[in-house]
Amino acid sequence: MLLNHPQRSAPIAIYDSGVGGLAITRTLKAFLPQERIHYIGDTKNLPYGQKTATALCGYIKQVVNFCLNKHYKLLVLACHTAAAAAVSFVPSYLKSIGRKIDMINVIDPVVTYITTASTYHHIGLIGTPYTVTHGSYTERLQAAGITLSALATPLLAPMVEAYFDHGKIDNILLHNYLDQLPCQNIDALVSACTHYIFLEKAFKSFFKDHYQRDIAIIDAAQLTALAVKAFLNAHNLLNHTAQKLPDCFMATALTPAFKNASKQLFGAIPIEIDLEPYAT
């Protein structure tokens, strides 16, 4: 019988700027129902997409310090913008304070999948201005000989947040963005903002109606969940306890969108947290 080490039963932290990462949380729970999730939504500072690198690293530093204090067994950066900003910042910061926390970000599993699939030659990508200009995708895909057509779509993340506050999907706005991509030429679309996972049905309808073809949408939620499962398995960190402990959904501001999304997707009432004490 495999005994459950205390670290195995520790929660996994999932961090996003708002409701977007809840889509990854939902997929992760489907793959790993025995794992306990502590979700951190930095709703006070959303949207992240047009923030400076300095501001983003400040938010990330608070979250990392919070997670170190809580002794989570893994931190998942479910936000593409935060993941892009964290690439060089987090390792150097952890080294400077002599601490360690295992992390998986949403970008690496997507890039690995695309570059090893050998079926993609031209990728379309939509994301926040920061993600698009940072080059996290551009440099790595181009190095693998894959053409990338990237477009900043800054208004889509706020639209998804508004949707969970009883708003509507603005198809005119969405279509105006997608019309700027060479959709007739791309093999697949990367939704390089976790919020956009909630728009995938609308994306597929657009491609079908306007181009009479199905364009594959890279499933970042599934790829991230699989990466988490593989990491936990490889490091003997899968939770084997039979006791089901509740998940926890936290936000830096209890916006109506976050409260509604937590209730709709998980039947959970979120709590408000203050990350300011973890700034240093």
Side-chain angles (χ1 to χ4, degrees), residues 12-259:
I12 297 169
I14 297 183
Y15 160 46
D16 185 60
S17 63
V19 303
L22 293 174
I24 288 179
T25 303
R26 182 174 56 181
T27 303
L28 184 59
K29 290 294 290 185
F31 277 91
L32 298 168
Q34 76 280 15
E35 297 296 340
R36 187 161 43 128
I37 303 298
H38 281 197
Y39 188 91
I40 304 165
D42 189 16
T43 46
K44 181 180 178 180
N45 295 305
L46 68 82
Y48 271 15
Q50 292 177 286
K51 295 289 200 304
T52 65
T54 300
L56 290 169
C57 289
Y59 306 149
I60 294 165
K61 181 180 178 182
Q62 290 181 343
V63 171
V64 168
N65 287 340
F66 177 82
C67 293
L68 288 169
N69 184 67
K70 297 295 182 180
H71 302 290
Y72 294 128
K73 66 180 177 182
L74 180 66
L75 169 59
V76 179
L77 295 179
C79 174
H80 292 253
T81 303
V87 169
S88 58
F89 168 72
V90 172
S92 62
Y93 173 67
L94 289 173
K95 183 178 180 180
S96 71
I97 62 173
R99 302 288 298 278
K100 181 182 183 296
I101 185 170
D102 290 316
M103 299 175 62
I104 288 179
N105 70 64
V106 69
I107 295 176
D108 289 342
V110 172
V111 171
T112 299
Y113 169 75
I114 294 171
T115 55
T116 57
S118 73
T119 56
Y120 301 116
H121 305 287
H122 189 168
I123 293 290
L125 181 145
I126 54 175
T128 67
Y130 188 92
T131 301
V132 169
T133 58
H134 183 269
S136 299
Y137 285 97
T138 306
E139 294 171 6
R140 295 165 69 182
L141 293 183
Q142 289 181 347
I146 297 170
T147 300
L148 180 68
S149 296
L151 177 69
T153 51
L155 297 179
L156 294 187
M159 184 173 75
V160 171
E161 292 283 335
Y163 172 76
F164 281 104
D165 188 19
H166 308 293
K168 294 182 178 180
I169 300 301
D170 187 341
N171 283 306
I172 294 176
L173 172 65
L174 191 150
H175 292 180
N176 283 340
Y177 275 138
L178 294 179
D179 275 334
Q180 298 178 55
L181 286 173
C183 297
Q184 66 275 18
N185 298 322
I186 64 176
D187 304 314
L189 177 72
V190 173
S191 299
C193 174
T194 310
H195 282 74
Y196 301 174
I197 294 174
F198 293 109
L199 299 174
E200 288 186 356
K201 286 185 179 179
F203 294 155
K204 290 179 179 179
S205 294
F206 172 84
F207 296 138
K208 195 72 172 177
D209 294 343
H210 289 255
Y211 296 97
Q212 290 73 54
R213 60 181 291 226
D214 293 317
I215 295 178
I217 298 176
I218 305 300
D219 193 338
Q222 179 172 312
L223 292 170
T224 304
L226 287 172
V228 169
K229 183 177 182 179
F231 176 87
L232 295 179
N233 188 54
H235 292 80
N236 198 23
L237 286 173
L238 286 169
N239 184 14
H240 297 289
T241 183
Q243 182 182 12
K244 290 295 181 75
L245 296 172
D247 299 319
C248 178
F249 296 87
M250 302 172 282
T252 52
L254 288 182
T255 62
F258 193 83
K259 289 189 287 187

